[in-house]
C-alpha cells in the first residue's frame, strides 16, 4: 500500500466513520415515541433548559446513544484481541461463548444472590466470562488451538449455558423479571448511571489494549518469532484474554450480551488494509460504535411502536450473513481441510450387533411404563399396573392412558424423527457434527412455525406447514453453501452456526413483536412435550413416522455410500449431487415434523447416530433401527425427567436434552483431538 493510498484510507476510515457516527447519533436522538424538533434536540444538547423536551433528550435519549457508542467500541476491541490471540478470524465474545457464560453468571447471581448491579454485576459477569474462555481454550487445545474446534466449542457452550439460563428464567420468573429483553441485548437507559459506571472501565480497557498493541503485532508474526524477540508469549496470551473478557463483561453487565459487533467491526478495518494493532484497535472502536448505534437505529425503524426490539437480535440479523460470508471467503486459508470422512465409530463384538435392538426395545418399553406410572405423587408402578390390567382404579388408568401415554408417544416419535434426521445429515454431508439443530434446519423450522402462529394469526393446524416452509428455506441455504464449500465437514459446521444464529435472531424478534409471554416463549423455544396429546401424535407425527421413516430405511444404503466420499460414490455409479440433495431434503422434512410438534429440541440428532456408531460401527445393518430407538429413548427419558425432577414444576424436555447433550458433545470434541479437521 503506497503512502498516499494509506493516508486516503485512514481519512476515509476515521474521518468518514466519525461523520457517519455523528449522523447516526443525531438520527438516534430524533427517534422516540414523542416527536421532538431537531432544533429542540440541538438546544437540549448544547443549551439545556428546564423543559420536558430537554430532559427527555438529555436523560433518556442521550444516555442510550452514548452507551451504544461505548458498548459497540468495547465489543469491537474485544473482538480484535480475541482474533489475534486465538489466531482465529471468527473469534469474538459471541462466537466463543463468553457472552453466554457472562449472561448465565449474571442471571444465576440475580436469582440466588440478588446483587447484580454495579460492581457486583461486573464481577459476576467477569468471572463467568473468564471461566467460559478457559473452558473453550482448553477444549480447542491450549498449545495448538484449532480455529474450527474453538468456534464449535463456543457454540456448544453457548447452547449449554442458554439451557441453564432458560431454566432459571422459567422457574424464577419474578426474580429474573426484565432480564429477557436485557438478555437479548438492549441499550435502554433510564438515566446516566450505566454510562457513568461503564465509561471509566471501557477507557481503562481501551488504554490497556493500546498499551499491548506492539506486543500483539509481534505475536501475530508467530509465537516462535515473538519468543525469539524476547516476548513472553504465555503472559501476552493471558493478559490479552483478560482484557477481552473484561471489556465484554463491562458491556454485558450494562446492556446484556450483544453478539457479532466484535466480528464485524475488526474485519471492516482489516478489509481496508490496516494491520498494525494500534490503528486496528482505534478503528475497530469507532466502527464498532457505528455498527451498534446503527443497529439500534434500525431496530427502532423496524418497530415504529417502540416496543423495544432487542438490538442484539438486530446485530445477529446483520452479523450472521457476515459470518457466513467470512467463512466462505476464508475457507481455503483457514478451514480448507479436505478430510471428508465421517467418524468411523468403533466396531464392537458381534454379540452387540445381535442384541442391541432387543435390548433397546426392552429399555424403551420400561421407560414408557415408568413414564405412564410417574406423576406428582411419584412413581406408582404397582398401582398403574393394577389400574390398567385389573381395572381397579379408573382415575389412575385414565391418567396413564389418556394423558401420560400420548405424551410419551409424542416424545418417542419426535425423538425418532430427530435421530433419523441427524443420521441422514451426518451421512450425506459427511459431517460427524451435523444434526438439524447444528446446521440450522431446526431454527429455520422454528421461524416458519412461529411466523404462522404469531404473525399470520393462522390456526395452529397449519403450524406444520409453517415449520416445513421454514425448514425448506434453511435447507436450500445450507445446501447452496455446502455446494460452494465442497461439502467440507468443518466448514459446514461453521456455516450452520451462521444459519442458526440468523434463524434465532428472527425468532427473538418475532417473540418480542408478538408480545408472547416470556415463560411460554422460552418453553416453546427450548422444546417441550408439555400438554401434547393424541391430537399432536395423529396430526403431526403419524404421517412422517409411517411414510418418511420407511423411505429413509429403503435408501439407507445410499447414505452409507455417500459417507465413503464423492469419488467412491461416483465409482459405484451413484449420482452424488442429486442423491445428496434429495436425502437432505428428506431429512429437513423429517426434522420439521418434530419441530412443529415439540418445538426446537437440539442434540438428539447428534447423540443418537454417534452412540449407535460407537456401539455398532459405521455401516452396520442395524445402525438405522438402533439410531431411531436411541432417539426415541433419549427424548422419552427427557420427558419423564422433565416432569419429575422439580415436581410440581416442569422443565422443558429440550433443556433436559441440552443438559445431557452438551457435555456429550464437548466430550466428543475432546475425543476428536485425534481427528483431522
Amino acid at each position: 500500500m503506497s503512502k498516499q493510498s494509506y493516508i486516503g484510507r485512514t481519512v476515509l476510515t476515521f474521518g468518514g466513520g466519525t461523520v457517519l457516527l455523528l449522523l447516526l447519533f443525531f438520527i438516534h436522538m430524533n427517534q422516540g415515541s414523542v416527536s421532538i424538533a431537531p432544533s429542540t434536540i440541538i438546544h437540549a444538547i448544547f443549551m439545556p433548559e428546564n423543559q420536558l423536551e430537554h430532559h427527555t433528550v438529555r436523560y433518556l435519549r442521550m444516555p442510550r446513544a452514548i452507551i451504544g457508542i461505548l458498548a459497540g467500541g468495547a465489543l469491537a476491541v474485544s473482538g480484535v484481541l480475541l482474533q489475534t490471540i486465538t489466531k482465529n478470524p471468527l473469534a469474538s465474545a459471541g462466537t466463543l461463548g463468553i457472552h453466554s457464560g457472562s449472561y448465565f453468571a449474571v442471571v444465576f447471581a440475580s436469582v440466588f444472590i440478588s446483587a447484580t448491579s454495579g460492581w457486583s454485576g461486573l464481577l459476576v459477569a467477569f468471572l463467568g466470562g473468564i471461566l467460559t474462555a478457559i473452558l473453550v481454550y482448553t477444549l480447542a487445545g491450549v498449545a495448538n488451538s484449532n480455529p474450527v474446534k474453538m468456534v464449535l466449542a463456543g457454540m456448544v457452550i453457548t447452547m449449554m449455558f442458554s439451557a441453564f439460563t432458560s431454566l432459571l428464567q422459567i422457574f424464577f420468573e419474578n426474580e429474573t423479571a426484565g432480564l429477557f429483553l436485557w438478555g437479548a441485548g438492549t441499550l435502554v437507559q433510564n438515566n446516566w448511571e450505566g454510562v457513568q459506571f461503564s465509561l471509566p472501565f471501557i477507557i481503562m480497557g481501551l488504554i490497556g489494549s493500546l498499551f499491548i498493541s506492539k506486543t500483539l503485532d509481534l505475536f501475530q508474526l508467530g509465537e516462535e518469532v515473538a519468543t525469539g524477540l524476547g516476548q513472553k508469549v504465555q503472559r501476552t496470551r493471558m493478559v490479552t484474554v483478560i482484557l477481552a473478557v473484561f471489556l465484554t463483561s463491562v458491556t454485558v453487565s450494562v446492556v446484556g450480551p450483544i453478539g457479532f459487533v466484535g466480528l464485524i467491526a475488526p474485519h471492516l478495518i482489516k478489509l481496508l488494509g490496516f494491520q498494525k494493532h494500534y490503528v486496528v484497535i482505534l478503528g475497530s472502536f469507532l466502527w464498532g460504535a457505528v455498527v451498534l448505534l446503527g443497529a439500534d437505529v434500525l431496530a427502532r425503524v423496524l418497530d415504529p411502536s417502540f416496543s423495544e426490539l432487542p438490538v442484539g437480535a438486530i446485530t445477529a440479523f446483520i452479523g450472521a450473513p457476515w459470518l457466513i460470508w467470512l467463512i466462505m471467503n476464508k475457507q481455503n486459508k483457514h478451514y480448507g481441510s479436505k478430510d471428508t470422512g465421517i467418524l468411523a465409530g468403533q466396531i464392537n463384538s458381534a454379540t452387540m450387533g445381535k442384541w442391541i435392538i432387543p435390548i433397546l426395545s426392552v429399555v424403551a418399553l420400561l421407560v414408557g411404563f415408568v413414564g405412564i406410572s410417574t406423576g406428582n405423587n411419584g412413581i406408582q408402578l404397582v398401582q398403574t399396573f393394577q389400574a390398567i390390567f385389573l381395572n381397579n382404579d379408573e382415575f389412575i388408568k385414565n391418567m396413564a392412558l389418556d394423558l401420560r401415554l400420548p405424551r410419551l408417544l409424542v416424545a418417542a416419535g419426535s425423538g425418532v424423527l430427530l435421530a433419523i434426521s441427524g443420521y441422514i445429515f451426518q451421512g450425506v454431508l459427511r459431517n460427524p457434527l451435523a444434526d438439524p439443530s447444528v446446521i440450522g434446519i431446526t431454527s429455520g423450522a422454528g421461524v416458519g412455525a412461529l411466523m404462522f402462529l404469531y404473525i399470520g394469526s393462522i390456526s395452529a393446524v397449519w403450524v406444520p406447514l409453517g415449520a416445513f416452509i421454514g425448514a425448506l428455506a434453511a435447507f436450500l441455504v445450507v445446501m447452496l453453501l455446502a455446494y460452494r464449500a465442497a461439502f467440507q465437514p468443518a466448514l459446514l459446521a461453521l456455516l450452520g452456526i451462521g444459519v442458526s444464529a440468523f434463524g434465532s435472531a428472527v425468532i427473538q424478534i418475532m417473540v418480542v413483536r408478538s408480545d408472547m409471554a416470556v415463560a411460554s416463549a422460552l418453553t416453546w423455544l427450548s422444546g417441550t412435550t408439555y400438554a401434547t396429546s393424541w391430537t399432536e401424535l395423529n396430526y403431526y407425527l403419524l404421517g412422517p413416522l409411517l411414510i418418511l421413516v420407511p423411505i429413509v430405511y429403503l435408501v439407507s444404503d445410499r447414505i452409507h455410500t455417500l459417507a465413503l466420499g464423492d469419488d467412491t460414490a461416483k465409482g459405484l455409479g451413484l449420482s452424488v449431487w442429486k442423491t445428496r440433495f434429495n436425502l437432505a431434503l428428506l431429512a429437513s422434512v423429517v426434522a420439521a415434523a418434530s419441530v412443529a410438534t415439540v418445538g426446537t429440541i437440539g442434540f438428539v440428532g447428534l447423540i443418537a447416530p454417534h452412540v449407535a456408531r460407537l456401539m455398532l460401527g459405521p455401516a452396520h445393518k442395524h445402525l438405522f433401527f438402533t439410531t431411531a430407538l436411541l432417539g426415541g429413548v433419549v427424548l422419552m427419558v427427557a420427558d419423564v425427567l422433565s416432569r419429575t425432577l422439580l415436581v410440581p414444576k416442569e422443565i422443558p424436555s429440550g433443556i433436559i436434552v441440552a443438559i445431557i447433550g452438551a457435555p456429550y458433545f464437548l466430550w466428543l470434541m475432546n475425543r476428536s483431538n485425534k481427528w483431522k479437521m
Side-chain angles (χ1 to χ4, degrees):
M1 184 188 303
S2 66
K3 184 176 181 180
Q4 185 176 3
S5 175
Y6 183 83
I7 293 173
R9 293 189 184 191
T10 303
V11 171
L12 174 64
T13 301
F14 289 92
T18 302
V19 171
L20 181 57
L21 182 62
L22 291 174
L23 177 62
L24 287 171
F25 179 83
F26 186 77
I27 294 173
H28 192 280
M29 297 294 292
N30 204 31
Q31 290 179 308
S33 56
V34 177
S35 179
I36 300 176
S39 59
T40 304
I41 294 174
I42 295 173
H43 279 90
I45 296 174
F46 298 106
M47 295 173 288
E49 298 177 7
N50 189 21
Q51 298 179 14
L52 178 60
E53 291 88 348
H54 286 206
H55 289 310
T56 300
V57 170
R58 293 183 64 84
Y59 297 105
L60 291 179
R61 298 188 182 179
M62 275 190 70
R64 178 171 181 154
I66 298 299
I67 201 66
I69 292 171
L70 293 174
L75 290 171
V77 173
S78 174
V80 172
L81 299 178
L82 289 171
Q83 287 164 24
T84 298
I85 210 66
T86 61
K87 302 173 185 174
N88 183 358
L90 303 182
S92 71
T95 55
L96 298 187
I98 296 172
H99 273 156
S100 62
S102 296
Y103 179 42
F104 169 71
V106 171
V107 173
F108 182 87
S110 69
V111 172
F112 298 106
I113 303 176
S114 300
T116 56
S117 60
W119 282 89
S120 60
L122 174 58
L123 179 61
V124 167
F126 179 73
L127 290 175
I130 282 290
L131 291 175
T132 306
I134 292 172
L135 181 58
V136 171
Y137 224 97
T138 302
L139 284 168
V142 176
N144 298 300
S145 58
N146 184 303
V148 175
K149 289 185 66 179
M150 188 171 289
V151 176
L152 289 175
M155 177 199 70
V156 178
I157 287 171
T158 297
M159 294 174 74
M160 180 175 67
F161 279 132
S162 295
F164 290 140
T165 304
S166 297
L167 188 63
L168 292 175
Q169 289 179 309
I170 289 169
F171 288 106
F172 298 94
E173 195 168 4
N174 293 332
E175 291 85 349
T176 60
L179 289 181
F180 181 73
L181 180 61
W182 176 80
T186 178
L187 302 183
V188 174
Q189 301 289 304
N190 295 322
N191 51 48
W192 286 94
E193 288 183 4
V195 174
Q196 291 171 345
F197 172 76
S198 61
L199 180 60
F201 292 120
I202 291 175
I203 290 175
M204 287 168 52
L206 179 60
I207 292 173
S209 302
L210 293 172
F211 183 77
I212 65 170
S213 60
K214 290 187 178 179
T215 303
L216 294 177
D217 288 337
L218 295 176
F219 185 87
Q220 201 169 28
L221 298 175
E223 293 187 20
E224 293 183 0
V225 175
T227 303
L229 294 173
Q231 299 295 323
K232 296 182 178 179
V233 172
Q234 293 303 326
R235 185 175 69 180
T236 300
R237 182 179 283 114
M238 182 178 68
V239 170
T240 306
V241 170
I242 289 174
L243 272 173
V245 174
F246 177 74
L247 286 167
T248 300
S249 303
V250 173
T251 61
V252 169
S253 65
V254 178
V255 299
I258 298 175
F260 289 100
V261 177
L263 195 67
I264 298 172
H267 282 287
L268 283 175
I269 302 303
K270 292 173 183 177
L271 285 173
L272 291 170
F274 297 104
Q275 298 296 328
K276 296 292 184 181
H277 277 83
Y278 192 89
V279 179
V280 172
I281 288 170
L282 290 175
S284 296
F285 188 95
L286 173 61
W287 280 90
V290 169
V291 169
L292 188 53
L293 196 62
D296 202 39
V297 169
L298 179 60
R300 306 178 98 190
V301 169
L302 293 175
D303 185 15
S305 67
F306 298 102
S307 59
E308 290 303 339
L309 282 181
V311 69
I314 300 299
T315 58
F317 188 80
I318 300 169
W322 180 274
L323 174 63
I324 292 171
W325 174 84
L326 199 60
I327 294 167
M328 299 299 294
N329 188 52
K330 295 181 178 292
Q331 59 175 299
N332 294 327
K333 183 177 179 182
H334 295 278
Y335 316 110
S337 171
K338 296 296 182 182
D339 178 23
T340 56
I342 197 167
L343 176 63
Q346 177 180 343
I347 300 178
N348 290 324
S349 65
T351 305
M352 175 67 75
K354 181 179 179 181
W355 290 102
I356 186 64
I357 292 180
I359 290 172
L360 284 175
S361 299
V362 171
V363 169
L365 291 173
L366 288 175
V367 172
F369 187 70
V370 171
I372 65 173
S373 305
T374 304
N376 291 345
N377 296 323
I379 302 176
Q380 299 176 307
L381 296 176
V382 176
Q383 295 93 322
T384 303
F385 182 87
Q386 292 175 342
I388 294 174
F389 295 102
L390 301 179
N391 293 315
N392 66 351
D393 192 322
E394 197 67 23
F395 176 78
I396 292 180
K397 181 179 179 180
N398 291 335
M399 183 70 69
L401 298 182
D402 296 336
L403 293 179
R404 296 172 187 164
L405 179 60
R407 174 172 171 163
L408 279 165
L409 291 177
V410 166
S414 298
V416 167
L417 293 179
L418 289 172
I420 294 301
S421 181
Y423 167 82
I424 299 172
F425 277 125
Q426 290 178 19
V428 301
L429 300 181
R430 303 193 305 275
N431 184 355
L433 302 176
D435 92 323
S437 60
V438 171
I439 64 173
I441 302 299
T442 299
S443 65
V447 169
L450 269 183
M451 193 170 292
F452 267 57
L453 266 179
Y454 301 106
I455 303 300
S457 300
I458 298 174
S459 170
V461 175
W462 296 98
V463 168
L465 178 61
F468 170 75
I469 293 173
L472 181 62
F475 157 77
L476 291 174
V477 172
V478 169
M479 290 304 290
L480 175 61
L481 295 172
Y483 176 76
R484 294 193 60 190
F487 294 94
Q488 297 175 44
L491 269 176
L492 281 174
L494 293 177
L495 291 168
I497 296 174
V499 175
S500 294
F502 185 82
S504 298
V506 175
I507 288 174
Q508 221 167 33
I509 292 170
M510 285 196 296
V511 167
V512 174
R513 285 295 306 272
S514 61
D515 293 325
M516 189 178 177
V518 170
S520 60
L522 288 171
T523 299
W524 191 88
L525 292 174
S526 300
T528 180
T529 50
Y530 177 73
T532 52
S533 64
W534 295 107
T535 301
E536 285 79 11
L537 183 67
N538 293 330
Y539 277 95
Y540 300 163
L541 295 179
L542 206 56
L545 286 171
L546 294 179
I547 298 172
L548 298 182
V549 172
I551 291 175
V552 176
Y553 174 70
L554 292 175
V555 298
S556 59
D557 58 329
R558 300 183 184 182
I559 298 173
H560 298 154
T561 304
L562 284 176
L564 299 174
D566 286 0
D567 293 338
T568 304
K570 289 177 182 177
L572 293 172
L574 198 66
S575 176
V576 172
W577 168 245
K578 182 180 178 180
T579 304
R580 179 177 284 123
F581 183 90
N582 291 336
L583 287 172
L585 177 60
L586 184 60
S588 301
V589 175
V590 168
S594 174
V595 173
T597 311
V598 297
T600 54
I601 295 180
F603 288 110
V604 175
L606 175 75
I607 296 173
H610 266 291
V611 174
R613 279 198 301 271
L614 287 172
M615 291 191 298
L616 298 177
H620 194 278
K621 62 180 180 179
H622 293 154
L623 185 63
F624 175 85
F625 292 110
T626 302
T627 299
L629 282 169
L630 281 170
V633 168
V634 166
L635 204 49
M636 285 173 69
V637 170
D639 175 72
V640 175
L641 293 176
S642 72
R643 51 192 171 87
T644 55
L645 288 179
L646 295 175
V647 173
K649 295 182 177 180
E650 182 165 326
I651 307 170
S653 302
I655 291 180
I656 297 291
V657 175
I659 293 173
I660 297 170
Y664 175 80
F665 194 108
L666 296 176
W667 169 81
L668 195 64
M669 290 192 66
N670 188 54
R671 182 176 179 269
S672 73
N673 283 328
K674 299 177 182 179
W675 302 352
K676 294 178 182 179
M677 293 193 70

